[in-house]
């Protein structure tokens, strides 16, 4: 598992570096456009950082590539298969929960498909995504407590929920058994702000 995480960090770092150099951006420029520190950009590019999903979203949006493209190698064919166990694990909880990006589309309108599991007591906090982002989820096992826009909602297995992802939100497993849910995230216009600022746009 550690080798997979290291390989993923290296692949993300290389892709960030390639995209930055293709735009002829300095490290400082990418840090400024993405709203992260220069040190974080350096660590990500060197593959030594374990950035949060929020940091990866800021970098992918700044580069205009979308999160799925940032974590997966370019596919030679239009149909892209992710085999069981091959998704990009971008979040790991202290008790073993995981957030795995299993599929996604290219910009400008990016759709991500996630496979999430939360052990009892685990919680994932998500900052607000870019404007217009929308999330859809369905609980497959256990129960899930979702907080979004001042609401607290409890979902049981089979229940589904749609909500705006451009406000802070969280998912928590307050029950006694593991919870599993699938999550789709739609983020329109990825990279539009970066393209408008790029001299090559």
């Amino acid at each position: 598992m550690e080798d997979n995480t290291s390989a993923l960090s290296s692949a993300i770092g290389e892709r960030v570096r390639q995209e930055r150099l293709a735009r002829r951006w300095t490290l400082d420029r990418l840090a400024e456009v993405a709203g992260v520190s220069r040190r974080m950009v350096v660590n990500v590019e060197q593959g030594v950082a374990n950035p949060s999903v929020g940091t990866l979203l800021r970098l992918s949006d700044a580069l205009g590539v979308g999160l799925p493209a940032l974590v997966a190698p370019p596919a030679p064919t239009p149909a892209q298969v992710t085999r069981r166990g091959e998704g990009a694990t971008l979040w790991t909880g202290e008790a073993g929960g995981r957030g795995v990006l299993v599929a996604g589309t290219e910009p400008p309108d990016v759709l991500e498909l996630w496979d999430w599991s939360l052990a009892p007591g685990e919680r994932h906090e998500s900052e607000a995504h870019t404007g217009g982002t929308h999330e859809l989820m369905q609980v497959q096992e256990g129960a899930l407590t979702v907080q979004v826009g001042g609401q607290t909602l409890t979902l049981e297995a089979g229940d589904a929920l749609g909500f705006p992802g451009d406000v802070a939100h969280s998912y928590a497993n307050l029950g006694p058994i593991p919870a599993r849910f699938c999550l789709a995230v739609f983020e329109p216009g990825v990279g539009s702000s970066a393209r408008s600022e790029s001299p090559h746009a």
Side-chain angles (χ1 to χ4, degrees):
M1 179 69 181
E2 195 167 313
D3 288 344
N4 289 345
T5 301
S6 178
L8 178 60
S9 295
S10 295
I12 290 171
E14 181 59 28
R15 182 67 192 268
V16 168
R17 183 174 181 278
Q18 287 174 355
E19 294 292 339
R20 177 178 63 78
L21 293 177
R23 286 159 182 74
R24 298 183 180 152
W25 283 2
T26 63
L27 292 164
D28 289 327
R29 177 68 174 147
L30 176 55
E32 177 188 346
V33 174
V36 300
S37 70
R38 182 181 191 278
R39 172 52 50 200
M40 177 57 74
V41 174
V42 170
N43 288 343
V44 168
E45 287 195 2
Q46 292 178 347
V48 297
N50 186 16
S52 68
V53 174
T55 296
L56 291 176
L57 282 168
R58 285 194 291 274
L59 288 169
S60 64
D61 189 48
L63 293 168
V65 298
L67 185 58
L70 197 65
V71 302
T77 60
Q80 300 175 35
V81 176
T82 304
R83 299 292 180 196
R84 180 193 298 258
E86 292 181 353
T89 301
L90 299 180
W91 179 84
T92 304
E94 291 184 7
R98 299 186 333 150
V100 183
L101 180 61
V102 295
T105 62
E106 296 291 321
D109 296 326
V110 174
L111 181 62
E112 304 165 5
L113 181 62
W114 293 77
D115 180 11
W116 277 87
S117 61
L118 295 177
E122 283 188 325
R123 176 185 186 88
H124 174 70
E125 299 272 352
S126 183
E127 60 190 53
H129 305 310
T130 57
T133 298
H134 201 79
E135 302 196 16
L136 301 171
M137 63 167 50
Q138 185 180 37
V139 178
Q140 296 164 315
E141 300 171 11
L144 192 67
T145 299
V146 181
Q147 290 186 321
V148 59
Q151 283 185 290
T152 300
L153 305 159
T154 300
L155 306 176
E156 305 286 343
D159 292 345
L161 173 68
F163 61 92
D166 53 8
V167 296
H169 50 282
S170 67
Y171 326 116
N173 179 359
L174 305 180
I177 63 171
R180 186 172 181 192
F181 62 101
C182 59
L183 175 72
V185 181
F186 174 69
E187 187 179 7
V190 167
S192 57
S193 61
R195 282 194 297 273
S196 66
E197 296 179 20
S198 170
H200 307 291

